[in-house]
Amino acid sequence: MNRIEKLFETKPERVLNVYFTAGYPKLNDTLGIMQSLEKSGADLIEVGIPFSDPVADGPTIQESNGVALANGMTVKLLFEQLAELRKSVSIPVVLMGYINPIVQYGVEAFCKKCQEVGVDGLILPDLPMFEYMEVYKPVFDAHGLLNIFLITPQTSEARIREIDNNSKGFIYMVSSASTTGAKTGISTDQEAYFARVKAMNLKNPTLIGFGISNKETFDKACANANGAIIGSAFIKAITQEGDLDSNIEKFIKDIKE
């Protein structure tokens, strides 16, 4: 069983998935941030692969992508940084990125490296379902990688059912039709969307992302799903001055306690 599936089997609620961009704020911070996240109480780690045109992301994450690329982060270097990952990090790890850098690296080679270093799944917002099913799924499956799909308030019930039937791990519930970090708080319209999805009784757990930034929004998301994903607010926390490890510990503590 994949680590992501094991996580939701042992902890079906209040799962905290934290996103950050590899190579940010400094090039070699990647593994240290992951170690601090696990130590501080994160349940799942989502590592962003820097890309020059991260279309799903708002200004905070876009800026972190630009800094990471300027620092010299590449897919090849990321795998080198993650070579010793499983000696110090035991929680599930997902790589989030866009399909272009993966195709340039070579899909088979990329999936093989993911398996070697201990990555559990991928989130690729610009990978269409039909292309995944026809081209990529056999390769992902061969290397034990779960593909995590996103849904939005505009996603039809039929489409959500299709995603639920063709994926494992969890479904990424985008809270609104905007980019990451664009909104704070949760509206009544969003709560109606959460309730609609919850009533579908999907086989996969759901995690709510986009607009989750503090304890209040995390708690509200957890009342409507199996947990939540925090990205932009965490990027801001690790951008602050001071000790990186202490900043991470305080951020996670403030969210969870």
Side-chain angles (χ1 to χ4, degrees):
M1 187 184 286
N2 184 285
R3 288 183 193 89
I4 299 169
E5 294 173 296
K6 284 181 184 173
L7 168 63
F8 286 101
E9 191 175 83
T10 56
K11 187 180 181 180
E13 55 188 28
R14 296 188 66 79
V15 168
L16 175 59
N17 176 8
V18 180
Y19 167 95
F20 75 98
T21 305
Y24 181 88
K26 295 178 182 173
L27 181 62
N28 295 313
D29 283 338
T30 309
L31 187 57
I33 290 174
M34 297 172 81
Q35 292 165 343
S36 293
L37 280 169
E38 175 163 18
K39 186 177 68 174
S40 300
D43 301 299
L44 201 156
I45 300 171
E46 183 180 331
V47 182
I49 302 169
F51 185 50
S52 56
D53 187 25
V55 291
D57 295 304
T60 300
I61 293 178
Q62 282 187 16
E63 187 177 335
S64 72
N65 273 250
V67 171
L69 289 171
N71 285 344
M73 179 53 73
T74 63
V75 175
K76 181 176 180 291
L77 179 56
L78 175 58
F79 283 130
E80 289 173 9
Q81 292 181 348
L82 298 181
E84 305 292 307
L85 170 69
R86 289 305 173 191
K87 290 185 178 179
S88 58
V89 176
S90 62
I91 60 177
V93 172
V94 174
L95 296 187
M96 182 272 172
Y98 297 86
I99 195 66
N100 190 36
I102 294 170
V103 170
Q104 287 183 353
Y105 187 89
V107 175
E108 178 79 46
F110 181 87
C111 292
K112 185 171 184 286
K113 289 300 292 185
C114 283
Q115 186 176 32
E116 284 176 10
V117 301
V119 168
D120 304 291
L122 301 172
I123 299 174
L124 304 168
D126 60 344
L127 175 61
M129 165 77 76
F130 74 89
E131 195 173 337
Y132 165 69
M133 294 301 293
E134 290 183 13
V135 181
Y136 297 99
K137 189 177 187 300
V139 186
F140 286 22
D141 288 351
H143 296 285
L145 292 168
L146 305 187
N147 187 45
I148 310 300
F149 284 101
L150 292 80
I151 63 172
T152 75
Q154 286 69 43
T155 308
S156 68
E157 180 170 339
R159 177 71 172 173
I160 294 171
R161 297 275 183 209
E162 183 184 13
I163 287 170
D164 192 42
N165 289 334
N166 290 315
S167 59
K168 292 179 180 179
F170 66 92
I171 292 172
Y172 190 136
M173 275 180 72
V174 176
S175 66
S176 63
S178 64
T179 54
T180 55
K183 294 182 179 180
T184 56
I186 292 174
S187 68
T188 51
D189 284 350
Q190 287 172 303
E191 289 190 345
Y193 154 58
F194 300 156
R196 174 169 65 88
V197 174
K198 196 173 185 178
M200 291 175 67
N201 292 315
L202 303 175
K203 71 178 176 71
N204 281 295
T206 54
L207 294 181
I208 296 172
F210 289 45
I212 312 302
S213 59
N214 53 29
K215 178 171 168 52
E216 181 188 356
T217 46
F218 177 69
D219 288 346
K220 195 165 272 192
C222 289
N224 291 281
N226 300 86
I229 301 162
I230 296 180
S232 297
F234 181 71
I235 295 287
K236 289 174 183 174
I238 61 174
T239 306
Q240 293 172 1
E241 290 184 8
D243 179 66
L244 188 59
D245 193 57
S246 299
N247 288 347
I248 293 170
E249 186 177 0
K250 182 182 185 305
F251 182 84
I252 302 297
K253 186 178 179 182
D254 288 347
I255 296 290
K256 296 192 83 171
E257 291 184 10

